[in-house]
Amino acid sequence: MTPKRQVAYQWRLREVMAANGLFNASDLVPLLADRGIQLSAVQVWRLVTQTPERLSLPVLAALCDILDASPAQLIATRAEDVVPSRKAAGAADGVVDLAAVRPKRATLRAEP
């Protein structure tokens, strides 16, 4: 069985903004507009305060240009091996054969 890898990332836009003297999400709106990225104040606020699951490359390129940063500075990645959990005795593909695990029912006999 080959070990599986679990990947994770951390969105660091707020930290990089603070290092560059930008402390409000609304400060990014005109800077993005200067680079042809039209986002509302709410969309920029979400971009700053939440970790995006999807991000367009033009937006990422504009953020890198505004903050004089690389994508690696904005997105910290991590990958780890996942240790497989041990399966229960008698389990095949996570399915347990209950007949093998349950005790057999007792039968009562009349005394002779």
Side-chain angles (χ1 to χ4, degrees):
M1 180 186 322
T2 60
K4 294 188 178 183
R5 304 272 294 164
Q6 180 178 16
V7 295
Y9 64 94
Q10 180 183 12
W11 183 237
R12 300 185 60 225
L13 177 60
R14 183 173 246 166
E15 296 170 40
V16 176
M17 282 177 58
N20 285 290
L22 295 170
F23 300 101
N24 294 322
S26 59
D27 295 341
L28 278 180
V29 175
L31 297 172
L32 288 167
D34 288 345
R35 287 157 180 85
I37 306 296
Q38 300 299 322
L39 296 176
S40 70
V42 173
Q43 288 173 317
V44 174
W45 179 80
R46 285 185 189 143
L47 190 62
V48 172
T49 60
Q50 299 173 4
T51 302
E53 289 188 19
R54 292 178 300 278
L55 182 66
S56 71
L57 290 178
V59 172
L60 180 62
L63 290 172
C64 289
D65 183 51
I66 291 166
L67 301 170
D68 193 29
S70 69
Q73 291 171 313
L74 289 174
I75 307 166
T77 60
R78 181 178 68 247
E80 307 172 329
D81 287 333
V82 176
V83 179
S85 61
R86 298 184 74 154
K87 291 185 178 181
D93 296 329
V95 178
V96 177
D97 180 19
L98 293 179
V101 179
R102 287 186 181 147
K104 293 194 178 202
R105 180 172 251 175
T107 54
L108 299 176
R109 297 185 192 153
E111 291 186 42

